[in-house]
C-alpha cells in the first residue's frame, strides 16, 4: 500500500497559486459582442442560473431532474463520457487537487501556469475539489463561478471558440486560484446535451 505523503507547513505555504485580482488576459480580452449568440446564452443559463450545483443558485436544476440517479457519480460511466468529449486524460489534462495548497502542482501538471491562456490547442482542467462535491460536480462548480464573476476570456479557434476560465477567491491583495480550465465552446455545449438528455436517451453513456 502506497504511503501517504504529508506536506510540511513550508511545502503547503508554497503550494498555493496566486495571481492578480484583475489579470491582464481577462481585461484585454473582453467578450466580443459577436460571441453573444444562442450558444453562449445556453451556456450561461445551464452553468450559471440552472447550475446542477444546488447550493449555488436558487434556480438550480439537479441532475435528477434529467433522469440521472443520485448515485450517478458512484461509477465512472457518465464521468468518462464527459471526459471523452474534451479528450481529457486523468493526471495529464484533468488534474484534481484535494487541497488548495496542491493547486500549484495541479496547474503545473496541466500546463496551466504562466501565460497558460496563450496555449489553447489542448483542452485541460485543473481544479480544487471541495470535499462535498464529486469530481465533475466540482468542475461545474468552478465553471459557474468563473462565468458568474466574469473571470474568463474567449478566443476564436477555427470554427469553434475557446473559453479560458479561472476561479478562486480573494486572499488579501492577491487572488488565490482554485481552478483553471481551457475548454472549447463545443465541449461546454456537448456536456449540456449529454446531461439534459438523461441516461435513457443517451447513446454516449449507453
Amino acid at each position: 500500500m502506497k504511503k501517504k505523503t504529508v506536506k510540511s507547513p513550508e511545502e503547503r505555504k508554497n503550494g498555493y497559486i496566486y495571481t492578480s485580482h484583475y489579470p491582464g488576459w481577462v481585461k484585454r480580452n473582453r467578450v466580443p459582442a459577436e460571441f453573444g449568440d444562442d450558444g453562449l446564452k445556453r451556456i450561461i443559463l445551464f452553468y450559471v442560473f440552472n447550475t446542477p450545483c444546488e447550493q449555488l443558485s436558487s434556480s438550480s436544476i439537479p441532475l435528477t431532474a434529467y433522469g440521472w440517479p443520485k448515485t450517478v457519480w458512484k461509477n465512472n460511466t457518465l464521468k468518462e463520457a464527459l471526459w471523452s468529449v474534451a479528450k481529457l486524460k486523468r493526471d495529464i489534462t484533468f488534474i484534481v487537487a484535494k487541497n488548495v495548497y496542491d493547486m500549484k502542482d495541479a496547474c503545473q501538471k496541466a500546463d496551466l501556469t504562466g501565460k497558460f491562456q496563450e496555449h489553447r490547442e489542448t483542452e485541460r482542467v485543473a481544479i480544487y475539489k471541495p470535499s462535498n462535491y464529486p469530481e465533475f460536480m466540482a468542475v461545474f462548480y468552478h465553471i459557474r463561478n468563473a462565468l458568474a464573476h466574469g473571470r474568463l476570456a474567449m478566443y476564436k479557434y477555427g470554427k469553434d471558440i475557446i473559453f479560458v476560465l479561472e476561479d478562486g477567491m480573494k486572499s488579501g491583495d492577491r487572488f488565490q486560484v482554485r481552478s483553471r480550465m481551457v475548454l472549447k465552446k463545443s465541449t461546454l455545449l456537448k456536456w449540456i446535451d449529454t446531461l439534459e438528455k438523461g441516461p435513457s436517451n443517451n447513446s454516449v453513456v449507453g
Side-chain angles (χ1 to χ4, degrees):
M1 184 176 179
K2 189 177 179 181
K3 187 177 180 180
K4 186 176 180 180
T5 302
V6 179
K7 289 190 173 182
S8 69
E10 186 65 22
E11 288 175 318
R12 293 186 183 192
K13 180 181 176 181
N14 294 328
Y16 296 97
I17 187 164
Y18 295 99
T19 187
S20 166
H21 286 304
Y22 308 103
W25 62 269
V26 172
K27 294 176 70 175
R28 288 191 301 269
N29 294 283
R30 304 294 188 195
V31 177
E34 61 267 27
F35 286 2
D37 59 7
D38 288 343
L40 180 59
K41 177 182 176 182
R42 190 176 178 213
I43 286 168
I44 297 297
L45 284 173
F46 182 88
Y47 292 104
V48 181
F49 294 105
N50 302 140
T51 171
C53 301
E54 297 178 63
Q55 298 171 329
L56 299 183
S57 172
S58 296
S59 301
S60 66
I61 299 177
L63 293 183
T64 52
Y66 305 115
W68 298 102
K70 290 182 178 180
T71 57
V72 65
W73 302 115
K74 291 189 180 296
N75 65 62
N76 291 327
T77 305
L78 177 58
K79 182 166 61 177
E80 289 179 355
L82 296 173
W83 278 351
S84 69
V85 171
K87 297 182 174 61
L88 295 172
K89 296 181 180 179
R90 180 178 289 282
D91 297 328
I92 300 174
T93 54
F94 185 86
I95 312 293
V96 177
K98 293 184 179 180
N99 300 291
V100 182
Y101 54 75
D102 291 325
M103 274 304 298
K104 182 179 284 186
D105 285 343
C107 287
Q108 287 173 341
K109 288 177 182 177
D111 189 23
L112 287 165
T113 57
K115 296 183 178 180
F116 71 97
Q117 74 280 359
E118 296 180 2
H119 306 290
R120 303 187 288 271
E121 59 284 343
T122 302
E123 294 181 275
R124 54 206 193 277
V125 170
I127 60 165
Y128 159 64
K129 188 188 86 65
S131 60
N132 58 326
Y133 279 89
E135 282 184 353
F136 234 96
M137 290 298 287
V139 172
F140 301 145
Y141 168 94
H142 290 299
I143 291 174
R144 178 267 173 198
N145 289 344
L147 292 172
H149 301 151
R151 203 166 179 93
L152 77 157
M154 294 166 61
Y155 304 87
K156 191 73 177 171
Y157 188 76
K159 293 183 179 181
D160 214 325
I161 292 171
I162 295 290
F163 282 62
V164 177
L165 304 156
E166 185 175 75
D167 181 33
M169 63 183 296
K170 290 183 179 181
S171 179
D173 60 353
R174 297 181 295 178
F175 185 85
Q176 186 188 87
V177 175
R178 297 194 169 194
S179 157
R180 281 178 174 167
M181 307 184 205
V182 176
L183 294 168
K184 293 177 182 176
K185 179 182 179 181
S186 59
T187 291
L188 293 169
L189 290 170
K190 287 175 184 175
W191 283 354
I192 296 172
D193 288 338
T194 299
L195 294 168
E196 288 186 339
K197 284 179 181 177
S200 59
N201 300 308
N202 225 312
S203 60
V204 76
V205 295

